[in-house]
Amino acid sequence: TFAPFHHLDKAVSLPILACRCAHGKYAQKLLNDLFTNYTSALRPVEDTNTILNVTLQVTLSQIIDMDERNQILTAYLWIRQVWVDAHLKWNKDDYDGLDTIRIPSSYVWRPDIVLYNNADDHFTGPMDTNVVIRQDGQIMWDSPAITKSSCKVDVSYFPFDAQQCRFTYGSWTYNGNQLDILNAMESADLADLVENVEWEVLGMPAKRNIILYGCCADPYPDVTYTLKLKRRASFYVFNLLIPCVMISFLAPLGFYLPADSGEKVSLGVTVMLALTVFQLLVAEIMPPSENVPLIGKYYIATMTMITASTALTIFIMNIHHCGPDAKPVPKWAKIVILQYMARMCFVYEVGENCMSPQLDKQEKGGVSDGERKDREVSCISPSSEWQLLRNIEYIANCYRDQRATQKRTGEWKKVAKVLDRFFMWIFFIMVFFMSLLIMGKAI
């Protein structure tokens, strides 16, 4: 029952094979006729004074790598070049309606259009793919290419920066009177672009330029594509910026540590070393240029602040550990620091002894009791009484000196603690505003 259909399939396939054989026969005949007296060494124009127009179209497929340190952009492009070859025309009716053929690009003349700002070591051009030739002589050459182009990188606002990389295409030997290059579209084709994890493509407009070089009098046209990129800063924010901000907030806390702990200076030095490590990481990524990146400025400002806080900590610790031989606190310091600044920084009863009133009363009471007892004791001789009074007076003077020394030392400790609190709030405000400034660039 299936035999008739089997014979029908064979009957249908035979004309198709015959048609293919006929097209192959005519394609071979057309190829022989076109390239009998053809040369790919000369410009394909009938008149040597005729300008050959080449239309260029670029499709950006992928951004492979952006090397900021060496300022090289590696990209995967599809390049289409279209021109008319006056020597490759035919009448399709003479070749069984054959209107297009595809042959290797090495058979025909090709424009020597190159990437002017190529930074590849091997300087490789587009791939030698086939060209499509139409009956009217129009040749379309589509070729993929992995290009390495030089790109001037401005890292002033890293990691919130935007870059512009240019691709300049033009003829290497033909001037504008021999070959003219035109852009097929106002911008490159981004429909098939593979998204990059680090860079966001904002656009790639094209512009035709006519350049007069100092070596030659003839104009040289070119087409420049400007690739506009914006960095995705999330990676750098979470790995470089936020740790730095968190470490920076540790620096003011050094003022809150008790002076007797012995860890105030070591905390500042540790924070300084941590920020130095982050600064070295940023320096390895960035190109050596005069433009300091924004995050680098933040690191330098933070390190300067930590250096100042460590120096102030050493100064305050010197005040805190003033010994018995220290001079009394000046009157202006008592008014400005111990009164006004202490209230501003919420420091109360620092360095004061809560037992001082009772001790004063005991001191006064002890002297009067002693005198009263001396008066009541009638059995003591006048010479012994005088000696006893001298000893009691000596003890009382020593006690008063000790109390004055303790009070003077306590006042200096209070000055040190008030200065600690004052600089702690000052540096907290500085860190907050610097962090707010750097984060504001991300919005």
Side-chain angles (χ1 to χ4, degrees):
T1 56
F2 296 97
F5 295 97
H6 180 68
H7 290 295
L8 182 61
D9 291 340
K10 287 186 177 180
V12 173
S13 61
L14 287 176
I16 296 176
L17 292 175
C19 180
R20 288 179 179 176
C21 292
H23 275 290
K25 175 182 177 183
Y26 282 108
Q28 184 64 40
K29 181 177 182 301
L30 175 61
L31 184 64
N32 295 333
D33 293 343
L34 289 177
F35 291 93
T36 300
N37 296 319
Y38 184 84
T39 176
S40 60
L42 299 177
R43 200 164 48 99
V45 291
E46 297 178 352
D47 188 1
T48 56
N49 295 325
T50 303
I51 299 176
L52 181 63
N53 295 323
V54 178
T55 304
L56 181 68
Q57 180 181 344
V58 172
T59 300
L60 179 61
S61 178
Q62 184 183 3
I63 298 174
I64 299 176
D65 181 49
M66 167 67 90
D67 188 355
E68 292 97 340
R69 190 167 186 83
N70 296 316
Q71 303 192 52
I72 295 177
L73 173 66
T74 305
Y76 179 41
L77 305 176
W78 299 342
I79 302 174
R80 170 174 290 183
Q81 303 178 47
V82 180
W83 68 95
V84 175
D85 194 321
H87 305 312
L88 298 179
K89 297 180 180 181
W90 71 90
N91 187 2
K92 66 177 183 179
D93 296 335
D94 298 337
Y95 299 94
D96 195 27
L98 188 62
D99 57 352
T100 58
I101 58 172
R102 290 166 175 82
I103 60 174
S105 59
S106 58
Y107 286 13
V108 300
W109 176 90
R110 293 174 296 181
D112 58 342
I113 295 177
V114 297
L115 180 63
Y116 282 172
N117 56 331
N118 197 331
D120 195 356
D121 297 337
H122 305 288
F123 209 86
T124 56
M127 187 182 299
D128 288 335
T129 56
N130 289 346
V131 296
V132 179
I133 307 177
R134 294 175 51 182
Q135 62 174 352
D136 56 355
Q138 185 187 76
I139 298 178
M140 184 173 63
W141 181 25
D142 292 334
S143 60
I146 297 178
T147 62
K148 290 185 178 182
S149 58
S150 58
C151 178
K152 185 178 180 181
V153 179
D154 184 11
V155 294
S156 299
Y157 294 96
F158 175 85
F160 310 109
D161 56 331
Q163 306 296 335
Q164 291 188 358
C165 298
R166 291 176 173 80
F167 298 84
T168 303
Y169 288 93
S171 176
W172 192 253
T173 57
Y174 295 108
N175 56 49
N177 298 324
Q178 298 170 329
L179 187 145
D180 192 10
I181 180 172
L182 307 171
N183 49 323
M185 301 170 60
E186 294 298 326
S187 63
D189 188 6
L190 304 176
D192 298 321
L193 176 64
V194 178
E195 292 291 334
N196 189 271
V197 294
E198 184 177 0
W199 296 96
E200 178 185 359
V201 178
L202 303 179
M204 195 173 177
K207 182 181 179 182
R208 180 177 177 271
N209 305 301
I210 298 178
I211 307 298
L212 293 173
Y213 295 98
C215 63
C216 314
D218 298 322
Y220 281 84
D222 64 62
V223 174
T224 300
Y225 291 88
T226 303
L227 179 60
K228 298 181 179 180
L229 301 174
K230 183 180 180 181
R231 191 189 301 270
R232 305 179 192 269
S234 302
F235 174 81
Y236 299 98
V237 167
F238 284 99
N239 290 276
L240 291 180
L241 192 57
I242 292 181
C244 176
V245 173
M246 297 173 66
I247 292 173
S248 301
F249 275 99
L250 290 177
L253 291 178
F255 292 105
Y256 195 74
L257 278 176
D260 297 328
S261 65
E263 299 294 334
K264 294 172 73 70
V265 178
S266 60
L267 176 62
V269 174
T270 304
V271 173
M272 175 74 73
L273 292 176
L275 287 177
T276 303
V277 172
F278 282 102
Q279 176 70 17
L280 292 176
L281 291 176
V282 175
E284 290 180 358
I285 303 174
M286 297 295 97
S289 63
E290 295 182 356
N291 296 330
V292 181
L294 184 65
I295 191 172
K297 295 178 181 177
Y298 179 72
Y299 284 161
I300 294 298
T302 307
M303 292 170 68
T304 304
M305 184 193 67
I306 294 173
T307 303
S309 67
T310 306
L312 288 172
T313 300
I314 296 173
F315 173 72
I316 294 172
M317 287 183 66
N318 190 20
I319 296 177
H320 176 82
H321 292 287
C322 285
D325 299 332
K327 296 181 180 180
V329 178
K331 187 176 181 180
W332 66 267
K334 290 182 180 180
I335 298 174
V336 175
I337 299 177
L338 298 183
Q339 293 183 12
Y340 295 105
M341 292 179 60
R343 293 174 184 174
M344 291 172 55
C345 301
F346 306 103
V347 178
Y348 302 105
E349 298 180 359
V350 180
E352 295 178 357
N353 195 339
C354 61
M355 297 296 294
S356 56
Q358 289 79 359
L359 288 174
D360 292 339
K361 291 180 181 178
Q362 290 177 6
E363 178 185 350
K364 295 178 181 178
V367 174
S368 61
D369 290 342
E371 291 176 352
R372 185 168 59 252
K373 288 179 181 179
D374 288 340
R375 296 189 185 97
E376 291 176 356
V377 177
S378 59
C379 61
I380 301 176
S381 61
S383 60
S384 299
E385 182 180 358
W386 179 77
Q387 185 66 29
L388 183 61
L389 289 174
R390 286 188 62 185
N391 292 337
I392 292 175
E393 184 179 1
Y394 176 76
I395 294 173
N397 291 333
C398 290
Y399 186 75
R400 290 190 187 96
D401 293 340
Q402 184 180 3
R403 289 294 301 151
T405 302
Q406 290 179 355
K407 183 178 180 181
R408 185 166 58 249
T409 305
E411 286 180 346
W412 282 116
K413 289 184 178 181
K414 182 176 181 179
V415 170
K417 192 163 187 179
V418 171
L419 291 178
D420 266 337
R421 295 295 186 271
F422 176 74
F423 286 117
M424 183 188 72
W425 290 113
I426 290 296
F427 279 88
F428 261 128
I429 294 172
M430 290 174 60
V431 172
F432 175 76
F433 277 107
M434 284 195 302
S435 304
L436 192 64
L437 179 64
I438 191 72
M439 289 298 183
K441 297 292 183 180
I443 302 176

